Amino acid sequence: MDNIPLWAQFLALAFLIFLSAFFAMAETALMAANRFRLRHQAKRGSRRAIATLWLLERTETLLSLVLVANTLLNAMAIALVTAIAITNFGMEEHVIVIAICAVVFVLIVVAEISPKIIGARYADQIVLPASVILRPLLRMARPLIWFVDLFVNALLRLFRIKPSSALQDARLSPDELRSVLLESGNFIPQKHKSILLNLFDLESISVEDVMTPRAQIEALDLSVPVEQIREQLTTCYHNKLPVYDGEINQIVGILHVRKAVGLLNEEDELTAEHFRALLSEPYFIPQDTGAFDQLQNFQENKERLAIIVDEYGEVQGLVTLDDIIEEMIGDFTTSTPSAARADSFGWDARGECILEGVTALRDINKRLGLDFPLDGPKTLNGMLLEWLQEIPEAPISVKIGNCIIEVMQVHDQSIKVVKLRRIDGPALQK
């Protein structure tokens, strides 16, 4: 040390501190880097992003390299300061202690805390150039890391800890991915975010939640006079109609209205058999089929309309491809009366809303911001009948959650019209 100029010794010390700061900053940046952005850049051919992902796939080895390098560099810096103090001031104990304390303080501030804060704050800007340096270093240091890992693994086995369980799988679960979307802020347009979240919700609902109930199905009865069939075809709102023979549970096929309209123009003496010849096979599905599964089934079977039946074969409703797609992207513009009603309801200035009993609870929760239970009946009428345990005589009011529901009209053993009024208070009472 006597032959080395003092400025060179301090330059060597500064270089050791710089290297220690680099490893601390690179380690923090790698752990905080956005892996999704890195994968996107790697797919576009970025060599730096590919090198970074290569390092992240070897996280245990990378951490070993950084810890070994930092420990060696910090020890060398302390040893160098000690040697400088002894060379210039002799074996003065208080000088040596002051020098060691000073370099430890510098290491903590300059080589540990500051670079880690910078690495966490500017992870995406630092991680790419740092990976270009770390990747060859990791390859060169493999023999040293392998030697150190022998003792590390032996120590872990002594405490019955499996080395492979130390790090968690980096893949995201659906719930975690949902949280990422919710916390994405303005990075994803609100409409796109809504579609993605609805797609996740599609996994948890069945076709029964999105179907047109049996009572609202527009269907064609072949047992009625032809004039009634003709009148219904000329006023129907749909391109396809389920066709039954006398009773809705006896569905015999699906009629394309365009074909039937062409038949009306061609035939003078029409009979039910003329319409029966135009029918295509009905597509039946069980009522507990998942909405997402049915979306795939529609694609595989090249169908757009399905009849929903229960375990006894009774028709419960009808679901179309449009119904499921609307769950993901929102309602389409349509002129059907049911759609007009569905789009019209909302709270008025007094905090009230008048609804039909057949309104779906999922639509009410979505449009009115309520939290009615969805694990039982699917409509407002069904929920009230289950809650009251009887068919009420209007008027009667119940409080469910933060809402007072007033039954305004009952007809044919079902609740036809209700009024909802917002209040505060989570209790359930009659």
Side-chain angles (χ1 to χ4, degrees):
M1 295 289 292
D2 294 337
N3 299 326
I4 303 175
L6 186 61
W7 64 269
Q9 297 176 25
F10 277 103
L11 184 62
L13 177 62
F15 182 68
L16 292 174
I17 294 175
F18 169 77
L19 288 179
S20 180
F22 166 76
F23 280 108
M25 183 170 56
E27 175 198 7
T28 307
L30 279 165
M31 296 301 105
N34 189 317
R35 286 167 169 77
F36 302 105
R37 186 176 291 118
L38 289 173
R39 291 192 183 100
H40 174 68
Q41 293 175 347
K43 289 180 179 179
R44 298 179 63 181
S46 171
R47 294 184 178 181
R48 290 182 174 185
I50 294 172
T52 304
L53 291 174
W54 184 87
L55 289 171
L56 291 173
E57 291 172 358
R58 295 157 179 81
T59 310
E60 292 182 350
T61 308
L62 178 64
L63 290 177
S64 298
L65 170 65
V66 172
L67 292 174
V68 169
N70 267 343
T71 302
L72 290 176
L73 291 170
N74 292 342
M76 290 170 62
I78 293 173
L80 181 58
V81 166
T82 304
I84 292 172
I86 293 174
T87 301
N88 292 278
F89 299 98
M91 297 298 294
E92 295 290 338
E93 294 182 358
H94 66 280
V95 175
I96 296 174
V97 170
I98 292 174
I100 292 175
C101 290
V103 75
V104 168
F105 178 77
V106 171
L107 287 171
I108 291 173
V109 174
V110 178
E112 290 294 334
I113 297 177
S114 297
K116 288 186 176 180
I117 291 175
I118 295 172
R121 187 168 297 177
Y122 302 101
D124 292 338
Q125 292 88 339
I126 295 171
V127 70
L128 294 178
S131 63
V132 177
I133 301 173
L134 288 176
R135 185 172 181 176
L137 285 178
L138 186 62
R139 286 174 171 168
M140 290 187 292
R142 274 181 177 173
L144 175 61
I145 295 173
W146 173 81
F147 179 74
V148 172
D149 283 347
L150 289 178
F151 297 92
V152 172
N153 292 333
L155 183 63
L156 293 177
R157 282 195 295 269
L158 180 64
F159 290 100
R160 297 182 179 180
I161 298 174
K162 294 181 180 179
S164 60
S165 65
L167 295 173
Q168 299 295 324
D169 192 344
R171 291 176 297 180
L172 295 179
S173 68
D175 289 339
E176 291 169 336
L177 187 54
R178 182 186 179 91
S179 298
V180 171
L181 287 172
L182 290 171
E183 297 172 5
S184 61
N186 296 325
F187 291 104
I188 301 178
Q190 185 60 39
K191 183 63 176 179
H192 296 176
K193 187 190 301 183
S194 175
I195 292 174
L196 291 171
L197 291 173
N198 289 339
L199 185 59
F200 284 113
D201 291 338
L202 210 61
E203 290 277 5
S204 60
I205 64 175
S206 68
V207 292
E208 196 176 13
D209 295 306
V210 299
M211 72 179 183
T212 300
R214 168 176 171 155
Q216 298 180 24
I217 294 177
E218 184 178 15
L220 194 67
D221 185 4
L222 292 181
S223 65
V224 301
V226 173
E227 286 305 316
Q228 292 186 24
I229 297 176
R230 186 193 297 269
E231 181 180 351
Q232 184 175 351
L233 287 174
T234 55
T235 58
C236 69
Y237 288 95
H238 301 93
N239 186 41
K240 292 183 180 180
L241 293 179
V243 177
Y244 61 93
D245 195 353
E247 203 269 325
I248 188 65
N249 290 315
Q250 303 298 324
I251 291 181
V252 294
I254 305 297
L255 178 66
H256 289 259
V257 176
R258 286 184 182 178
K259 296 180 181 179
V261 171
L263 188 65
L264 295 178
N265 296 329
E266 295 176 3
E267 295 288 342
D268 295 329
E269 294 295 330
L270 287 176
T271 66
E273 295 305 317
H274 288 97
F275 297 104
R276 196 184 297 270
L278 299 177
L279 300 182
S280 58
E281 287 291 325
Y283 176 40
F284 296 99
I285 60 172
Q287 63 183 8
D288 58 352
T289 304
F292 188 77
D293 293 334
Q294 187 53 44
L295 182 63
Q296 294 176 307
N297 293 338
F298 276 140
Q299 184 179 26
E300 294 171 1
N301 297 320
K302 294 181 172 54
E303 297 280 355
R304 299 180 64 91
L305 182 148
I307 306 299
I308 301 171
V309 295
D310 62 12
E311 58 185 316
Y312 303 106
E314 301 283 328
V315 173
Q316 299 300 305
L318 175 150
V319 66
T320 66
L321 180 61
D322 290 349
D323 293 331
I324 300 178
I325 293 177
E326 285 182 355
E327 278 297 308
M328 294 188 292
I329 66 175
D331 295 337
F332 295 126
T333 301
T334 178
S335 59
T336 59
S338 60
R341 288 195 301 268
D343 288 335
S344 63
F345 71 83
W347 298 114
D348 62 16
R350 296 177 296 177
E352 297 179 347
C353 179
I354 296 178
L355 295 175
E356 296 182 359
V358 295
T359 308
L361 294 177
R362 295 187 74 253
D363 291 338
I364 295 175
N365 288 348
K366 188 183 302 183
R367 297 179 183 277
L368 300 183
L370 299 176
D371 192 25
F372 290 144
L374 302 177
D375 53 353
K378 306 301 180 182
T379 65
L380 191 55
N381 171 60
M383 182 185 70
L384 289 173
L385 293 180
E386 183 182 73
W387 180 248
L388 295 171
Q389 296 294 309
E390 62 179 359
I391 299 174
E393 294 183 4
I396 187 173
S397 298
V398 296
K399 180 179 177 234
I400 300 180
N402 297 331
C403 183
I404 290 180
I405 305 175
E406 178 185 347
V407 178
M408 301 178 66
Q409 181 181 346
V410 179
H411 183 66
D412 290 338
Q413 294 78 49
S414 65
I415 299 171
K416 295 299 183 182
V417 182
V418 299
K419 180 192 291 184
L420 276 60
R421 185 167 70 252
R422 286 185 301 187
I423 59 170
D424 294 324
L428 296 180
Q429 65 187 41
K430 186 184 295 187

